[in-house]
Amino acid sequence: MVPQLPRKRPASGSEPDAESRAVGKFLRRMLPLLVLMLVVNQMDRTNVGFVQADLKADIGVSATAYGLGAGLFFIGYALFEVPSNMLMERYGARVWLTRIMITWGTVIVAMSFIHNVTVFYILRFLLGVAEAGFFPGVLLYFTKWLPDSSRGRASAIFLGGSATAYIVTGPITGALLEMHGVAGIAGWRWMFGLEGVFSIVVGIVAGFFLVSRIQDARWLTQEEKDALSAAVARDEQARDRAPKVSKLKLLVHPQVALLTGVFFAMALTGYAITFWLPSLVAEIGGLSPFQIGLLSAIPWICAVIAMYTVSHFADGAPDRRPYLAAALILSAVGAFLATLGSPWFGLLAITLAAIGGKCAATVFWPMAQAGLDFKIAAAGLAIVNSLGNLGGFVSPTLFGYLKDTTGSTNGGLYSLATASVLAAGAVFLIRRGGGSAGSGEPLPAQGTAGAAQGETTPPRIA
């Protein structure tokens, strides 16, 4: 799914060299914990989608207010993402990633005490502030520990946690909602409280296991520390020689603008499904919270299977644009069909939209990387990511407004379908390939590790 550079391998029949042994130890010891942290991160970010009806019944959160609150997360996240990464550079991953997780867990616990719409808005914004920097912070952590030749594999494994989170969030959250009435407490309050406490516990545990610096790792020999440190240092020196790019010039660069528009359309659909899928499933009627959670996992299970299947074919294709356009059209068809027929038919249609969205994300980032000249690739992708992710604010807000004013989410689904069709057409205006000085050679695999979540490695921007 993520392009990888060749890895340095020992000669046949020989023992792995010190660098390879050190990389293997890092992957075995650190990566499982980081994946768990990402799964919890995604679950806490999106669990609000399962309690929309409860928030309306208990504290009067209308569909418009719910959509706005869901979207405010992305405003806080965008505003504090860069400062968070700067502070991680100063304090190290052990302190900063732990702080991020404990803080967002605390905000989730606080959400169990929501009593009016204003508090709901404030806490969703604060959740974005608290989570800001976690995902790119982990990718930055990889640059401090892994040479470029090994980082693609680590990023791909880490991103698997994002896909897993979409699948497990529904059943886990639905099961917790079944606690409604225990000790006289509403199920949604139990859900926020317990998931928040779990996040805090995982954050505290992470503080005991994460190691910020290679030289501080007790589970590496001195030979392994020196070899890994030297490999990472060589890559850092190469990155430091990369030219800085003006953000102002990038904002008006035609290819960057096209990529941003396409990614914005993808984000619109992805986050609309994430936040509104449980309420659409609930329209089937007669389902328990746990059953709603199980059914909500179906689109993501199908999407993950399709995502890996499509990536197998797209990665070897000379032109990825037809794959991306087809995925966007499938997403548009699914969104449109969701306005027709019974709720069960709607679930099938949303599954098609989810498949299209996930497959589009898989194809988009490698294609976007190859479509930009080397000199602007890293910074350009950061602009695409930052502006495109604003779709996470627009789509839930739009859905909520249309739900209250029209009594239906059909208008929002029509908007998603239209945006996806327009994006599919724009795909063919994107350059087929890039490279330095128009050489047509593919760019290195750095900076595209966030394909599943729409994140990119922090670049150098003037």
Side-chain angles (χ1 to χ4, degrees), residues 353-416:
I355 290 173
K358 279 294 183 184
C359 290
T362 301
V363 178
F364 176 80
W365 288 107
M367 191 197 76
Q369 182 191 48
L372 294 176
D373 289 330
F374 179 77
K375 291 182 179 181
I376 67 169
L381 291 176
I383 295 292
V384 172
N385 177 63
S386 298
L387 297 182
N389 260 322
L390 290 177
F393 171 76
V394 173
S395 61
T397 304
L398 174 65
F399 261 61
Y401 172 77
L402 292 174
K403 176 76 172 182
D404 274 344
T405 56
T406 67
S408 170
T409 57
N410 285 354
L413 292 167
Y414 292 141
S415 300
L416 297 183

Side-chain angles (χ1 to χ4, degrees), residues 193-264:
L194 292 177
E195 290 187 356
V197 168
F198 181 69
S199 300
I200 294 171
V201 171
V202 173
I204 293 172
V205 171
F208 289 97
F209 288 93
L210 289 176
V211 182
S212 297
R213 299 171 60 250
I214 294 173
Q215 294 297 328
D216 294 336
R218 297 179 180 178
W219 32 269
L220 293 178
T221 66
Q222 192 57 51
E223 179 189 15
E224 291 166 347
K225 292 177 183 178
D226 293 341
L228 189 57
S229 296
V232 170
R234 287 193 298 270
D235 290 335
E236 286 182 346
Q237 290 171 3
R239 286 193 296 272
D240 286 340
R241 290 193 294 269
K244 292 185 178 181
V245 184
S246 167
K247 289 186 289 185
L248 184 60
K249 290 182 179 179
L250 284 175
L251 287 173
V252 296
H253 189 284
Q255 289 298 307
V256 172
L258 277 169
L259 291 167
T260 300
V262 171
F263 183 52
F264 181 84

Side-chain angles (χ1 to χ4, degrees), residues 1 25 31 37 63 105-106 111 130 136 149 169 190 209 233-234 257 262 267 280 315 325 336 338 349 365 395 406:
M1 185 174 66
K25 288 182 179 181
L31 210 48
M37 294 170 74
T106 302
M111 290 188 70
S149 57
T169 294
W190 277 115
F209 288 93
R234 287 193 298 270
V262 171
L280 295 174
D315 284 348
F336 177 78
W365 288 107
S395 61
T406 67

Side-chain angles (χ1 to χ4, degrees), residues 272-292:
I273 295 174
T274 298
F275 289 115
W276 287 87
L277 175 60
S279 64
L280 295 174
V281 172
E283 293 180 3
I284 294 174
L287 300 174
S288 68
F290 181 65
Q291 290 171 326
I292 291 174

Side-chain angles (χ1 to χ4, degrees), residues 104-115:
W104 95 54
T106 302
V107 175
I108 290 294
V109 171
M111 290 188 70
S112 65
F113 298 97
I114 292 174
H115 60 276

Side-chain angles (χ1 to χ4, degrees), residues 268-348:
L268 283 176
T269 299
Y271 285 114
I273 295 174
T274 298
F275 289 115
W276 287 87
L277 175 60
S279 64
L280 295 174
V281 172
E283 293 180 3
I284 294 174
L287 300 174
S288 68
F290 181 65
Q291 290 171 326
I292 291 174
L294 287 176
L295 290 176
S296 296
I298 291 175
W300 303 118
I301 294 172
C302 297
V304 168
I305 294 172
M307 178 177 67
Y308 282 98
T309 302
V310 168
S311 67
H312 174 75
F313 293 99
D315 284 348
D319 187 356
R320 289 186 173 93
R321 293 178 300 179
Y323 287 91
L324 178 55
L328 289 167
I329 292 297
L330 179 61
S331 181
V333 170
F336 177 78
L337 291 178
T339 65
L340 309 173
S342 68
W344 283 106
F345 181 79
L347 177 60
L348 174 62

Side-chain angles (χ1 to χ4, degrees), residues 89-150:
E89 286 271 24
R90 177 176 179 180
Y91 292 107
R94 181 176 185 178
V95 171
W96 200 245
L97 292 180
T98 298
R99 192 285 306 164
I100 289 175
M101 191 163 196
I102 293 174
T103 304
W104 95 54
T106 302
V107 175
I108 290 294
V109 171
M111 290 188 70
S112 65
F113 298 97
I114 292 174
H115 60 276
N116 59 42
V117 173
T118 300
V119 175
F120 174 62
Y121 288 158
I122 292 172
L123 290 178
R124 281 295 296 180
F125 176 81
L126 290 178
L127 183 62
V129 173
E131 287 193 20
F134 172 74
F135 192 92
V138 172
L139 298 183
L140 180 62
Y141 182 46
F142 287 161
T143 69
K144 304 298 183 182
W145 267 89
L146 298 172
D148 290 350
S149 57
S150 299

